[in-house]
Structure formats: C-alpha cells, structure tokens
Amino acid sequence: MAPRRWTAPPSDAISRLIMSDLSLTILAETPNDAHAIERLHERTFGPGRFVLSAYRLREHVDHLLDLSFTAWIGTLLVGSVRQLPICIGDTPALLLGPLTVEPPFRGRGVGRALLDRALKDAKAKGHRLVLLVGDEAYYCRVGFKMIPKGRVTSYGAIAKYLGTARSSRMVGWAMNAAHSQKKKVPAHRVVNRNGELTGKHHFATPFLMAELLEKEGVKVVKDKIKNFDKHYWDPMKELEM
C-alpha cells in the first residue's frame, strides 16, 4: 500500500476547535491587537485587498478603536470588525469593515456577534448611518438593505434620510460615480422626485437605465417611470438602524 501524502499546514494556521466547548468573547479593539488583526487580514483576504476602493479609503482614515471589535476564544483571535468615520456631504457616518472570521470558525455565529456589538455600540454613541461594501444576502440579516428589484427611490429621498434634505444633487453625483465601481451598484433605481430618468446620460448608453428598469418590471415611458407611486421605495420607512 502506498503511503499517504501529508502536507504540513502553515505555521500560523488555526486548528479546528469545537465552538460549543469554548466561550466566545467580544472585546473592543486595542492598539496591541493591530499585528494579530493584520495577520488575520492577510490570511483571509490576501494581497488583493489593497486594490479595493474601501481599503484605499481606509489607508487615509484611522478606524475608531471604541467602535471596532475583536472576537476571542480563550487567547485565540478568531475574528475582527472595524468602523471608521466618514462624511457624506456634511453628514457624518461610519464605514463598517473589514469584517473577517478565521475560516474554521465561519458559520458559527462569530461574524454575527461582531456585527451586533459594532452596530449596538454605534447606535448608543449617537451614530445614525452606517455604510458598507459587501454581500447583501449576508448583511441584510442585521438591517442593511439595497433598493430591491422592481422598486425605485429618488435622490431627494436618500438625501432626506441622510439628514441633508437639500443635498439631493450630491446624491446624484454619488450615483454617477458609482458606475466606476467594480462591484455593480443599482444606480438605475434612483431617479428624480417626479420619476424621471435624469441620470440616464451617465450610463454606458442613454437607453441602458430604462432597459435595466424594464428588466426588473418597472415600466418606463418617455424616460419617466409609469405608476411611480406604486414602485416608490421610501428609505425613511424601509430603513431603521
């Protein structure tokens, strides 16, 4: 019988442990955690993380230690989440991320525990708006939402929700800039207050915005949404931190 081939794991690999046998502790990040968290990011995200737009932003803004958290099982770091301050126009907000969990401990509630603590403390400290770049299917479980297919909102509605009702033009600029993002942003679901496709010229073709809406069941006639009230999605009603 041929001998089995055995490959040694990396020196910093994390062995599998049974979550039910050990308690999970969520703690506020400290300066002493920086090196361990960086190694965790290296293992889970790899070198490609530095080209992502969210990472580029984090290079110039320090995260808030009192709103960033680590997950521990005994003395073993198994997860981390960070939040840093940003501004949308004149509106203060938080950018959540990166959120990462050691692969052997995924699917065991570590990420959810980190998110719950981060959002709870953010709300307690008076933060009303938290943004992130990530998978909606995962983050919707803690309240993050994308404008759903078949629904539309307006630049003014978003500005009002952000607390800057007069900044609808700035929201429009953000939607226009969204076309340069690698991860698709459904900017076609944001129109003006009358349901008109005023942002259509910022798409690849002047007809693409209407085509994308039509594919989602939203009827467009002469660059204006038919039955706008029926499709309207109000963030003031739909979103709550």
Side-chain angles (χ1 to χ4, degrees):
M1 181 182 294
R4 291 184 178 179
R5 184 175 180 178
W6 179 81
T7 303
S11 60
D12 60 354
I14 304 299
S15 60
R16 287 187 179 274
L17 298 175
I18 306 301
M19 285 284 290
S20 58
D21 294 340
L22 297 166
S23 61
L24 178 69
T25 303
I26 305 296
L27 299 175
E29 184 182 331
T30 70
N32 293 333
D33 298 325
H35 180 68
I37 292 173
E38 182 57 30
R39 295 296 300 275
L40 175 61
H41 290 172
E42 289 177 0
R43 289 192 295 273
T44 54
F45 296 123
R49 66 191 186 278
F50 295 113
V51 302
L52 301 176
S53 56
Y55 256 95
R56 299 299 296 273
L57 176 60
R58 296 181 188 113
E59 291 177 356
H60 306 288
V61 182
D62 292 332
H63 61 282
L64 302 172
L65 289 177
D66 60 334
L67 289 177
S68 300
F69 299 92
T70 52
W72 301 83
I73 294 180
T75 59
L76 180 66
L77 175 71
V78 297
S80 165
V81 65
R82 285 173 166 171
Q83 298 189 93
L84 64 147
I86 61 173
C87 280
I88 303 173
D90 296 325
T91 302
L94 294 174
L95 179 65
L96 187 146
L99 167 68
T100 184
V101 177
E102 287 282 9
F105 297 95
R106 293 176 183 173
R108 300 167 184 259
V110 177
R112 178 61 184 267
L114 284 165
L115 284 173
D116 286 345
R117 177 65 184 277
L119 296 175
K120 177 183 177 182
D121 280 36
K123 186 174 183 179
K125 292 180 182 294
H127 294 280
R128 185 169 178 266
L129 180 63
V130 180
L131 305 180
L132 61 82
V133 178
D135 181 20
E136 184 192 13
Y138 180 82
Y139 288 102
C140 70
R141 291 178 286 180
V142 290
F144 290 91
K145 292 183 181 180
M146 184 183 293
I147 302 171
K149 291 182 179 180
R151 305 290 298 278
V152 294
T153 193
S154 69
Y155 306 111
I158 295 175
K160 182 179 179 181
Y161 178 76
L162 296 178
T164 56
R166 297 182 179 180
S167 300
S168 57
R169 182 173 297 179
M170 192 169 297
V171 174
W173 293 340
M175 292 299 100
N176 297 339
H179 300 296
S180 64
Q181 299 298 309
K182 290 184 178 181
K183 188 176 180 65
K184 292 184 178 180
V185 177
H188 61 283
R189 299 175 194 160
V190 186
V191 297
N192 77 0
R193 62 179 181 176
N194 298 315
E196 297 169 333
L197 280 55
T198 52
K200 68 175 187 176
H201 297 293
H202 296 281
F203 286 77
T205 72
F207 310 104
L208 181 57
M209 185 176 185
E211 291 170 357
L212 292 172
L213 288 168
E214 294 270 4
K215 286 181 180 179
E216 296 177 352
V218 180
K219 184 69 174 178
V220 178
V221 178
K222 295 182 179 180
D223 293 331
K224 186 174 182 179
I225 293 174
K226 188 175 181 179
N227 299 321
F228 181 48
D229 292 341
K230 173 186 174 182
H231 296 287
Y232 184 67
W233 188 85
D234 187 352
M236 294 294 289
K237 296 179 180 178
E238 302 288 349
L239 300 176
E240 182 178 358
M241 182 175 169

